[in-house]
């Protein structure tokens, strides 16, 4: 068992990492979501010790996910401290509206949301979701939309809707939600429908689906429901 002591401001945290995990204590300490999580802990949550339980790496060799248990207390009372670290992510509610007679559609016109369908082992089925990905920079949302759907958008096209924790009981992930409206021709719309996207060599088996915006409420994807609600709220203000 390797261990190290981290001094983060007034915090002193012992990090323990079993040698059997195949990751060194230095690699664990260099994992950005771990440092970010420890730094953002509120003063009334005290974490004295962290034990790394599992580490998953990408093909690049970089750490992708870390599961840990922590000796955590809230105002002196011990609380559950199992955490799955993956870092922040982004998701985009991308809406395509067809032009008719050269007229640019308004917000009140019908249209389609560009969704990605992919198998999700944790859910036990293929799900329809917003284009999304781990946040590794300012242009993450733009990059993910292109990689997963083939639709080109610009940073200036994005409207930030807000951010939320989808599963704070065990995961540090905060999802920043964006919306983007794009006027397209009927031919452009059809080229998107059924397109294969994602990085298939990394197991991303994505098929692009077009869903009527008025039917989005039927999805089981929490990102979609939250983005749709926030977008509707913006329209009402």
């Amino acid at each position: 068992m390797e261990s190290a002591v981290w001094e983060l401001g007034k915090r002193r945290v012992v990090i323990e990492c079993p040698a059997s995990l195949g990751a060194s204590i230095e690699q664990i300490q260099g994992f950005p979501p771990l440092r970010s999580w420890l730094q953002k802990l509120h003063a009334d949550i005290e974490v004295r010790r962290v034990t790394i339980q599992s580490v998953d790496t990408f093909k690049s060799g970089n750490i992708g996910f870390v599961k840990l248990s922590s000796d955590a207390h809230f105002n002196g009372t011990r609380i559950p401290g199992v955490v799955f670290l993956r870092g922040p992510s982004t998701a985009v509610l991308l809406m395509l509206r067809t032009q008719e007679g050269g007229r640019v559609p308004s917000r009140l016109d019908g249209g389609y949301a560009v969704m990605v369908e992919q198998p999700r082992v944790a859910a036990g089925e293929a799900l329809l979701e917003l284009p999304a990905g781990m946040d590794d920079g300012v242009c993450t949302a733009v990059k993910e939309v292109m990689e997963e759907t083939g639709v080109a958008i610009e940073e200036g096209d994005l409207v930030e809707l807000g951010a939320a924790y989808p599963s704070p009981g065990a995961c540090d992930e905060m999802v920043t939600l964006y919306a983007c409206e794009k006027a397209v021709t009927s031919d452009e719309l059809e080229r998107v429908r059924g397109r294969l996207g994602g990085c298939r060599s990394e197991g991303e088996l994505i098929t692009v689906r077009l869903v009527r915006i008025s039917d989005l409420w039927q999805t089981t994807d929490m990102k979609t429901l939250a983005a749709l609600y926030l977008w509707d709220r913006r329209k009402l203000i």
Side-chain angles (χ1 to χ4, degrees):
M1 177 81 73
E2 289 187 279
S3 66
V5 177
W6 249 3
E7 302 283 351
L8 298 170
K10 295 182 179 180
R11 293 184 182 275
R12 184 178 185 275
V13 183
V14 177
I15 311 291
E16 298 179 333
C17 180
S20 59
L21 295 182
S24 69
I25 194 70
E26 290 78 16
Q27 287 176 298
I28 297 298
Q29 287 180 293
F31 184 50
L34 175 60
R35 178 178 291 274
S36 175
W37 170 67
L38 288 171
Q39 288 177 330
K40 71 182 179 184
L41 288 172
H42 286 196
D44 50 9
I45 296 182
E46 181 185 5
V47 172
R48 304 167 182 173
R49 183 179 302 271
V50 166
T51 302
I52 306 302
Q53 296 180 320
S54 67
V55 176
D56 291 285
T57 57
F58 296 131
K59 287 185 177 181
S60 64
N62 294 327
I63 294 177
F65 311 108
V66 167
K67 179 176 176 286
L68 59 84
S69 63
S70 62
D71 180 18
H73 296 75
F74 179 73
N75 291 332
T77 301
R78 187 177 176 86
I79 57 176
V82 174
V83 181
F84 176 70
L85 294 174
R86 58 164 295 159
S89 64
T90 62
V92 181
L93 173 59
L94 176 59
M95 297 164 284
L96 302 183
R97 306 182 191 274
T98 55
Q99 302 181 39
E100 298 178 2
R103 180 180 62 87
V104 178
S106 72
R107 279 186 173 186
L108 300 179
D109 290 327
Y112 292 90
V114 181
M115 305 289 285
V116 294
E117 183 181 54
Q118 56 187 319
R120 292 299 199 185
V121 175
E125 60 180 319
L127 296 181
L128 278 176
E129 308 172 54
L130 295 183
M134 296 175 70
D135 189 351
D136 55 9
V138 178
C139 299
T140 297
V142 172
K143 181 185 70 175
E144 290 295 334
V145 168
M146 172 56 76
E147 287 182 356
E148 296 191 355
T149 72
V151 179
I153 61 173
E154 303 290 336
E155 260 188 84
D157 299 331
L158 295 171
V159 176
E160 185 171 341
L161 300 174
Y165 289 104
S167 188
C171 186
D172 71 314
E173 178 187 18
M174 176 176 277
V175 184
T176 300
L177 299 168
Y178 296 92
C180 175
E181 288 185 296
K182 189 176 178 71
V184 297
T185 66
S186 296
D187 288 343
E188 289 173 328
L189 188 71
E190 289 307 311
R191 283 198 291 271
V192 174
R193 192 190 306 270
R195 183 183 185 276
L196 301 181
C199 184
R200 296 184 107 67
S201 64
E202 296 181 0
E204 289 186 331
L205 307 181
I206 290 175
T207 302
V208 180
R209 305 295 187 193
L210 297 179
V211 179
R212 287 279 185 186
I213 295 173
S214 58
D215 292 333
L216 276 184
W217 63 271
Q218 299 178 65
T219 184
T220 56
D221 176 41
M222 186 62 72
K223 301 184 298 297
T224 303
L225 294 174
L228 183 63
Y229 169 78
L230 293 171
W231 179 247
D232 279 345
R233 290 290 300 169
R234 289 184 67 93
K235 289 164 61 177
L236 292 173
I237 295 176

